[in-house]
C-alpha cells in the first residue's frame, strides 16, 4: 500500500484560495485521481505562519523525521515554493528523498521525480524560484536606492533636529506626485549639533544626557532625555555628511554603499536603509545596511562622525572593563587634524606632553598601546609648518603641490581616453546582458510550464531595464564637455582655495583653516620618516 505525505505551508493567513487547507484538498484530489486503483495511506503535515526561506519549520521537520524511520513512497505538495525558495535547501532535500527511495510530486507544476524528465524540470524550476526571490530583493534595494537618491524620506520617526516636509512634483505625464524630504528644524538642529560636540568634550553618554536635562534641552516630545535617546542620535548616520571619509568609513564597516566619491558634495547627508529589523527595531548587522546619499543636509563631516563612533566604542569598552575614561589632549592650532594619517591607516591625533611638547600620535597606539602600532610620533609644529609652506609656495614651478595640481589639469587633457575606456566597459556589460537574454529566450522554444515562462519573462525584462540604464550612462559619458567642466571646476576650486588660504590664513579660525586644507589635501601619510601628501582629485 503506497504511503503518501502531503505537505502544505503558508507564510501568513490571508483568506485567499491558497490556504493550507485548500493546498491539502488539491493534493488529496491529485492522489486519488492518479492512484485510484490502489489502496493508499495519506499523512498530512501543515505549517502556517512560516516563510519558505529555510526548512526550519516544525511540521516539515516532523515529516522528515518520519521519513527517516519509515520512508514515504511519495511526498506531495501543491507548489514547489511551498517546500523552499532556496536552491541549496531544495537540492539537499531531493538528495535525501532519493536516498530513501521517495518520489516528490508537485501538483501545480506537474513535476514527478519518479521520472527522469520530472527530476530535470524540478531542478530548473527550483533555480528560477530562487532567482525570483533574489530579483524581488534586488528590486526592493533598487527602489530604496532611487528613493534616497531623490532625497525622499520614507517615513518612521523623524530624526531629532529635522522635520519631514511634503513636496510635490510632476511626472512626465503631468501628474502630481507627492513625497517627503528632511529639512532642518532650525530650533532643534543646534541642539542636535550640541549632542555631538558635548559628547566629544565629555566622552560620556550619561554626562551629555545629564547636561541636556540640567539645561532644559528636552526631546521632540518635551520629555527629559534618557541615555538610549542620546545614543540613538550619536549613532544615527543621518547626521553624517556624504564625503570621502564617510564613504570609506561605511565601506570598511561592510555596508552596501550606493554612492561614490563623485556624488559627494560635502553638504548632502546620508540615509541608512535596512538598519533595523523586526517590530522591536533591533539593529541589523552593518553588512545588511544600505547606505545612500540624500538631498537633506548633514551636520557632521565623515571624519567627525567616524571619530564619534570610535569614541562610543571606546567608552563602551571602558565601561565594561571598569577603566577610567580620561580626557584626550588636543591642540587648538593643529591644522592637519583630520588629514594626517599613520602608515597603519589610522588617523593621527594631537597630543601635548607635560614638558609642553606637541606631537601627532597614531590613534591605534594611543588607544591600544604600542603593540597595535610601532610607528613613531611626529612633531606637530614641524609638520604643520612644512605643509603650510608647501601650500603658501604653490605658485612655484618646482613646488610639490603645484606639480600635483598640474596633474589634475593633465587629467582633463587625457579625458577622451578615460571616457572611451569607461564606455568600452559599459558596452561589454551590455553585450553580456544581451547574450544572457538570448539564452533565456531559447528556453521559450521548449515545452515548459507557464510558471517557467513567467519567471523567464521577468528576468529578461530585468536585464532589459539594466541595459536601458547602461545606455543612459553611455550617453552621459559621451557628453565629454559636461565631464570636462566638472574636472575644470575641481581644478579651479583648489587654486582658489590655495590663494584664499595664503592671503587670509592669520584671519581664519582653526576650524576654517582645517576645512580649507581639506579642500586641497586628501590626506598626509606619516611613515615614521617622511610625510607623503595626496591631493584631492589625483
Amino acid at each position: 500500500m503506497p504511503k503518501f505525505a502531503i505537505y502544505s505551508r503558508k507564510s501568513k493567513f490571508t483568506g485567499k484560495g491558497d490556504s493550507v487547507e485548500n493546498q491539502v484538498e488539491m493534493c488529496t484530489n491529485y492522489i486519488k485521481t492518479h492512484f485510484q486503483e490502489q489502496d493508499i495511506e495519506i499523512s498530512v503535515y501543515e505549517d502556517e505562519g512560516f516563510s519558505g526561506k529555510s526548512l526550519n519549520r516544525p511540521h516539515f521537520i516532523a515529516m522528515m523525521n518520519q521519513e527517516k524511520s519509515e520512508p514515504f513512497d511519495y511526498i506531495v505538495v501543491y507548489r514547489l515554493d511551498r517546500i523552499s525558495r532556496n536552491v541549496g535547501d531544495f537540492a539537499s532535500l531531493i538528495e535525501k528523498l532519493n536516498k530513501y527511495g521517495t518520489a516528490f510530486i508537485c501538483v501545480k507544476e506537474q513535476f514527478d521525480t519518479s521520472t527522469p524528465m520530472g527530476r530535470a524540470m524540478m531542478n530548473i524550476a527550483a533555480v528560477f524560484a530562487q532567482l525570483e526571490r533574489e530579483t524581488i530583493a534586488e528590486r526592493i534595494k533598487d527602489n530604496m536606492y532611487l528613493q534616497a537618491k531623490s532625497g525622499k524620506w520614507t517615513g518612521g520617526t523623524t530624526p531629532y533636529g529635522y522635520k519631514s516636509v511634503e513636496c510635490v512634483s510632476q511626472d512626465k505625464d503631468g501628474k502630481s506626485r507627492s513625497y517627503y524630504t528632511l529639512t532642518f528644524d532650525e530650533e532643534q538642529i543646534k541642539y542636535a549639533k550640541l549632542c555631538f560636540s558635548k559628547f566629544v568634550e565629555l566622552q560620556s553618554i550619561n554626562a551629555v544626557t545629564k547636561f541636556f536635562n540640567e539645561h532644559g534641552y528636552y526631546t521632540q516630545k518635551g520629555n527629559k532625555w534618557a541615555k538610549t535617546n542620546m545614543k540613538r542620535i550619536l549613532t544615527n548616520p543621518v547626521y553624517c555628511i556624504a564625503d570621502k571619509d564617510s564613504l570609506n568609513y561605511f565601506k570598511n564597516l561592510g555596508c552596501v554603499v550606493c554612492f561614490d566619491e563623485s556624488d559627494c558634495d560635502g553638504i548632502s547627508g546620508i540615509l541608512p536603509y535596512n538598519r533595523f529589523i523586526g517590530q522591536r527595531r533591533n539593529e541589523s548587522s552593518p553588512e545588511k545596511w544600505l547606505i545612500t546619499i540624500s538631498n537633506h543636509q548633514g551636520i557632521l563631516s565623515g571624519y567627525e562622525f567616524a571619530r564619534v563612533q570610535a569614541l562610543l566604542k571606546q567608552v563602551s569598552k571602558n565601561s565594561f572593563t571598569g577603566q577610567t575614561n580620561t580626557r584626550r589632549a588636543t591642540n587648538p592650532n593643529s591644522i592637519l587634524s583630520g588629514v594626517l594619517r599613520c602608515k597603519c591607516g589610522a588617523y593621527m591625533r594631537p597630543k601635548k606632553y607635560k614638558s609642553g611638547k606637541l606631537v601627532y600620535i597614531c590613534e591605534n597606539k594611543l588607544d591600544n598601546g604600542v603593540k597595535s602600532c610601532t610607528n613613531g610620533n611626529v612633531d606637530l609644529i614641524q609638520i604643520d609648518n612644512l605643509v603650510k609652506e608647501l601650500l603658501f609656495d604653490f605658485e612655484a614651478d618646482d613646488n610639490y603641490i603645484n606639480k600635483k595640481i598640474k596633474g589634475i589639469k593633465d587629467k582633463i587633457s587625457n579625458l577622451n581616453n578615460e571616457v572611451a575606456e569607461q564606455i568600452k566597459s559599459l558596452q561589454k556589460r551590455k553585450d553580456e546582458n544581451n547574450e544572457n537574454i538570448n539564452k533565456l529566450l531559447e528556453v521559450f522554444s521548449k515545452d515548459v510550464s507557464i510558471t517557467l515562462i513567467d519567471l523567464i519573462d521577468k528576468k529578461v525584462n530585468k536585464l532589459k531595464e539594466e541595459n536601458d540604464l547602461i545606455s543612459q550612462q553611455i550617453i552621459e559619458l559621451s557628453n565629454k564637455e559636461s565631464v570636462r567642466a566638472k574636472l575644470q571646476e575641481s581644478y579651479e576650486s583648489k587654486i582658489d582655495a590655495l590663494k584664499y588660504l595664503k592671503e587670509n590664513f592669520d584671519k581664519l579660525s582653526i576650524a576654517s583653516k582645517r576645512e580649507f586644507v581639506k579642500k586641497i589635501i586628501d590626506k598626509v601619510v606619516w611613515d615614521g620618516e617622511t610625510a607623503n601628501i595626496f591631493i584631492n582629485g589625483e
Side-chain angles (χ1 to χ4, degrees), residues 159-160 162 182 184 189 192 196 232-250 259 264-272 291-309:
Y160 183 73
Y162 291 92
L182 295 178
F184 283 154
I189 197 65
F196 289 94
R232 192 175 296 121
I233 289 177
L234 295 173
T235 57
N236 194 343
V238 78
Y239 299 102
C240 182
I241 293 171
D243 57 22
K244 189 171 182 180
D245 285 322
S246 59
L247 178 71
N248 292 333
Y249 171 77
F250 287 109
F259 65 92
C264 301
D265 59 9
I267 299 173
S268 298
I270 280 172
L271 279 180
I291 302 296
T292 63
I293 195 169
S294 178
N295 66 357
H296 79 270
Q297 291 185 42
I299 61 173
L300 258 73
S301 69
Y303 168 73
E304 291 168 327
F305 183 79
R307 182 189 178 195
V308 168
Q309 305 318 300

Side-chain angles (χ1 to χ4, degrees), residues 19-166:
S19 67
V20 289
E21 293 83 3
N22 288 344
Q23 292 175 44
V24 171
E25 183 179 349
M26 286 181 279
C27 290
T28 302
N29 290 338
Y30 179 91
I31 294 169
K32 290 179 178 179
T33 301
H34 289 78
F35 299 87
Q36 52 187 319
E37 295 180 356
Q38 301 181 43
D39 291 328
I40 56 177
E41 178 185 333
I42 299 177
S43 301
V44 177
Y45 299 86
E46 302 175 353
D47 279 314
E48 186 158 13
F50 291 89
S51 169
K53 291 181 181 179
S54 76
L55 301 179
N56 188 24
R57 304 187 293 271
H59 287 90
F60 178 82
I61 292 171
M63 180 180 70
M64 294 309 296
N65 287 337
Q66 179 64 32
E67 170 77 358
K68 286 181 184 178
S69 58
E70 296 182 40
F72 299 102
D73 295 300
Y74 299 89
I75 289 180
V76 185
V77 298
Y78 173 62
R79 277 207 326 259
L80 178 64
D81 61 3
R82 298 304 86 194
I83 284 289
S84 178
R85 294 180 183 272
N86 183 284
V87 172
D89 286 344
F90 181 77
S92 176
L93 172 66
I94 295 300
E95 186 177 345
K96 288 179 182 177
L97 297 183
N98 288 338
K99 177 182 176 182
Y100 295 121
T102 301
F104 186 86
I105 297 174
C106 275
V107 174
K108 184 71 173 178
E109 285 87 4
Q110 297 184 356
F111 295 151
D112 182 348
T113 60
S114 62
T115 67
M117 181 58 72
R119 286 192 292 272
M121 294 306 295
M122 191 168 294
N123 285 328
I124 293 172
V127 170
F128 277 99
Q130 181 168 343
L131 177 62
E132 173 69 359
R133 178 168 169 258
E134 292 174 352
T135 300
I136 291 170
E138 287 176 7
R139 192 179 299 124
I140 292 171
K141 184 185 292 185
D142 290 344
N143 183 52
M144 288 193 299
Y145 172 65
L146 290 173
Q147 286 179 320
K149 287 288 284 184
S150 62
K152 294 177 181 177
W153 173 248
T154 54
T157 303
T158 306
Y160 183 73
Y162 291 92
K163 53 187 176 182
S164 177
V165 177
E166 185 177 12

Side-chain angles (χ1 to χ4, degrees), residues 39 79 97 224-225 257 312 363 372 387 395 432 435 441 446 456 514:
D39 291 328
R79 277 207 326 259
L97 297 183
K224 285 195 172 185
W225 288 90
V257 181
L312 283 166
E363 282 188 343
S372 61
V387 173
E395 291 174 307
E432 288 173 352
E435 186 177 344
L441 291 176
K446 301 176 181 178
I456 293 169
R514 289 171 183 158

Side-chain angles (χ1 to χ4, degrees), residues 352-390:
K352 185 177 182 178
Y353 288 101
K354 291 181 179 179
S355 63
K357 184 177 181 180
L358 296 167
V359 300
Y360 286 106
I361 182 172
C362 172
E363 282 188 343
N364 274 341
K365 183 163 69 174
L366 189 61
D367 293 339
N368 304 308
V370 292
K371 289 183 179 180
S372 61
C373 180
T374 58
N375 196 18
N377 303 339
V378 57
D379 187 281
L380 184 148
I381 295 174
Q382 186 177 358
I383 194 170
D384 274 10
N385 285 339
L386 171 65
V387 173
K388 187 169 70 174
E389 287 173 12
L390 288 171

